[in-house]
Amino acid sequence: QSVLTQPPSVSGAPGQRVTISCTGSSSNIGAGYDVNWYQQLPGTAPKLLIYDYNNRPSGVPDRFSGSKSGTSASLAITGLRAEDEADYYCQSYDSSLSESGVFGGGTKLTVL
Amino acid sequence: QITLKESGPTLVKATQTLTLTCTFSGFSLNTSAVGVGWIRQPPGKALEWLAIIYWDDDKRYSPSLKTRLTITKDTSKNQVVLTMTNMDPVDTGTYYCAHTWMTYFDYWGQGTLVTVSS
């Protein structure tokens, strides 16, 4: 059971907008630790998608965006495409865990 | 161009110690704010943060695994080594090393699958 809670699955039709939530607490997201998001395509290593809440690495389309509110963060994907079907993970740090890192439980995105 | 590659045994027996090496290129672990971390993923399950070592030799461990993990670096060889003692079948999974800048993992190795037999 991760300290960062994500929905196990979300789905959407091509072209639609979906959001994936990452719910934490006052010792991680609420404490101001950065939230990062990763995309993992089947059989591959994770790829950094969003860092420091809402920054995109070079090469990541602006269809992907991140946000934060209180003790939660969200990843939004607009203009959904078939190739977006993957597992998505949020990641942060936690002061109650000696400032070690934590990942969310992951969310499987299905493009209908 | 930053690259990382994990190496080590693909099969270990329960109670044995696992030693994994991450060999990297394209950056130096002497650079401020740079680190290398280890993350694992059991088959069909979520990512799990294991440990990280920074340029200044600061080390952080997952509290749940801290007593079993040791992370070290050899900057002359561009390598980071993770050891995990007392392996158990539940430790089976893919182990990744990754470059970190501040708080995020921006470059990942391909991963290495480790199977623990009972």
Side-chain angles (χ1 to χ4, degrees):
Chain A
Q1 195 80 359
S2 176
V3 298
L4 300 179
T5 302
Q6 298 180 233
S9 63
V10 297
S11 63
Q16 284 189 333
R17 178 182 187 269
V18 296
T19 60
I20 299 172
S21 60
C22 176
T23 302
S25 66
S26 57
S27 63
N28 42 68
I29 298 175
Y33 289 102
D34 290 335
V35 175
N36 310 304
W37 290 91
Y38 302 86
Q39 177 193 60
Q40 187 177 32
L41 298 170
T44 68
K47 168 191 168 185
L48 180 65
L49 201 61
I50 296 287
Y51 65 96
D52 297 352
Y53 291 109
N54 61 2
N55 295 285
R56 288 185 308 277
S58 173
V60 173
D62 60 6
R63 301 186 297 105
F64 296 90
S65 63
S67 63
K68 173 202 171 185
S69 177
T71 58
S72 294
S74 292
L75 172 71
I77 309 172
T78 59
L80 207 56
R81 303 173 70 162
E83 57 260 39
D84 298 333
E85 187 160 294
D87 293 322
Y88 293 83
Y89 295 91
C90 60
Q91 177 252 318
S92 186
Y93 286 80
D94 196 294
S95 61
S96 70
L97 302 174
S98 303
E99 293 195 317
S100 67
V102 288
F103 282 96
T107 299
K108 170 68 177 178
L109 168 62
T110 300
V111 181
L112 302 171
Chain B
Q1 177 192 3
I2 291 176
T3 63
L4 304 98
K5 187 171 184 179
E6 307 86 354
S7 60
T10 58
L11 181 66
V12 297
K13 295 181 179 179
T15 75
Q16 288 185 334
T17 294
L18 172 69
T19 298
L20 294 174
T21 300
C22 177
T23 303
F24 57 85
S25 63
F27 68 94
S28 170
L29 253 182
N30 287 321
T31 303
S32 179
V34 169
V36 171
W38 285 92
I39 305 99
R40 72 177 179 180
Q41 185 172 37
K45 296 188 177 181
L47 300 173
E48 181 180 12
W49 194 99
L50 297 179
I52 197 167
I53 188 166
Y54 291 100
W55 86 103
D56 59 355
D57 211 38
D58 183 22
K59 303 167 187 176
R60 307 289 172 89
Y61 295 98
S62 166
S64 63
L65 294 169
K66 184 173 184 176
T67 59
R68 299 174 54 205
L69 294 174
T70 303
I71 189 169
T72 60
K73 62 181 174 70
D74 186 332
T75 52
S76 66
K77 293 183 179 179
N78 281 354
Q79 291 181 334
V80 170
V81 175
L82 180 77
T83 60
M84 180 180 291
T85 61
N86 195 24
M87 293 293 284
D88 184 273
V90 300
D91 296 313
T92 293
T94 298
Y95 287 72
Y96 297 98
C97 66
H99 169 276
T100 185
W101 170 254
M102 301 300 283
T103 67
Y104 50 88
F105 296 113
D106 50 0
Y107 296 91
W108 293 65
Q110 63 189 24
T112 184
L113 176 61
V114 178
T115 301
V116 184
S117 65
S118 55

